[in-house]
Amino acid sequence: MNRRNDQWSSPYLASGAYAAGVNFRHRFLHDTYQISGSLDRSMVQGSRAAILALQTDAVHYYQRPDATLPLDSNATALDGSAGELLFGKVAGRHLMFQTAYQRRSAGFEVNDLGYLRRADQQSWNTWVGFFDRHQRALYNSLQWNNNWWQYWTTMGLPLEAAYNTNLHITFRNNWSWNMGSTIGQLGTTYDDRGARGGPAIRQDPYVAPWLYVSGDDRRMVVPSLSVNY
């Protein structure tokens, strides 16, 4: 993107923003397993005021006192990178899983192209699912998911560590039972965005259970019950 700024817009808008990326995917062992990944690069150019505003906005927060990021008020460009590596079992009768690592550097910036909520983050996410799609004595189908995710800044500050499990059953009478719970902010984790550019804030653990029961959706009237905490 190239933008022709004038004296009124140059302190606020970048004059140029560029992004490029490559990705790959490979399936093997009869298309049962998959490995995929991507690598992206971004660069934004503009006046010193515009680039300083980018460095200190809510996507980047270079000014955080505990971030040790190179805030530069004289910079006229901001560049960064992002990448992801994913491995999973994408086919099978009962068991599938996926695990992925993703990293975005503090200077990664693509908001002239789309929408990026935050940079300066790395994450590890894992999902394991058990499926039974065959009709049994008590149910028509069953799915049980287990999820684990962790987030850090690129400097290693822990932001989140959480586990979730959820169960979904459709009974023989077509009523469904769905329930799950998340246990989050395990161990020592911090919110590095809550102070809006200030120091990171210690977070407390939480538990978030939920339940959803639904009647036979073939009927004219379908009862349902939803509870969450």
Side-chain angles (χ1 to χ4, degrees):
M1 182 278 298
N2 292 298
R3 182 181 287 122
R4 185 176 297 175
N5 289 329
D6 55 24
Q7 60 178 327
W8 309 107
S9 59
S10 62
Y12 307 102
L13 299 176
S15 59
Y18 315 98
V22 294
N23 63 77
F24 74 92
R25 187 189 73 174
H26 175 63
R27 289 188 174 181
F28 54 98
L29 294 180
H30 307 290
D31 287 339
T32 301
Y33 297 89
Q34 175 177 299
I35 184 170
S36 61
S38 63
L39 183 63
D40 308 285
R41 189 79 181 179
S42 71
M43 174 175 285
V44 179
Q45 298 173 333
S47 67
R48 288 183 295 178
I51 299 302
L52 180 61
L54 279 178
Q55 292 179 86
T56 56
D57 69 13
V59 178
H60 306 280
Y61 280 147
Y62 270 67
Q63 73 274 28
R64 279 184 39 237
D66 51 0
T68 64
L69 296 174
L71 178 64
D72 184 356
S73 60
N74 293 313
T76 56
L78 182 67
D79 69 298
S81 61
E84 182 181 42
L85 184 63
L86 183 150
F87 171 70
K89 184 174 183 284
V90 296
R93 187 174 183 180
H94 291 298
L95 184 67
M96 288 188 282
F97 66 84
Q98 177 178 289
T99 187
Y101 172 76
Q102 185 182 73
R103 185 183 189 277
R104 291 191 296 268
S105 72
F108 188 66
E109 171 60 48
V110 289
N111 277 313
D112 283 288
L113 174 67
Y115 177 61
L116 177 67
R117 292 186 62 185
R118 68 163 294 158
D120 187 25
Q121 186 182 70
Q122 53 183 333
S123 64
W124 173 44
N125 303 275
T126 299
W127 162 77
V128 179
F130 175 82
F131 302 83
D132 189 2
R133 300 182 178 92
H134 297 279
Q135 190 177 81
R136 307 294 182 180
L138 297 178
Y139 59 80
N140 292 328
S141 65
L142 178 147
Q143 179 176 342
W144 180 28
N145 299 304
N146 290 273
N147 306 278
W148 172 263
W149 60 93
Q150 287 182 264
Y151 295 92
W152 306 265
T153 66
T154 53
M155 299 299 293
L157 182 72
L159 305 176
E160 175 66 290
Y163 168 74
N164 167 270
T165 185
N166 53 86
L167 178 67
H168 309 268
I169 303 174
T170 301
F171 295 104
R172 293 292 299 272
N173 61 0
N174 272 347
W175 278 62
S176 64
W177 178 279
N178 309 273
M179 63 181 298
S181 183
T182 298
I183 305 173
Q185 294 168 4
L186 300 173
T188 302
T189 64
Y190 297 89
D191 179 0
D192 67 336
R193 293 304 192 249
R196 301 188 180 185
I201 303 168
R202 176 72 182 270
Q203 300 180 116
D204 294 325
Y206 66 88
V207 179
W210 59 271
L211 169 69
Y212 177 69
V213 181
S214 178
D216 185 351
D217 59 9
R218 300 172 301 178
R219 306 299 183 185
M220 183 177 297
V221 178
V222 182
S224 65
L225 171 68
S226 179
V227 180
N228 62 78
Y229 174 76

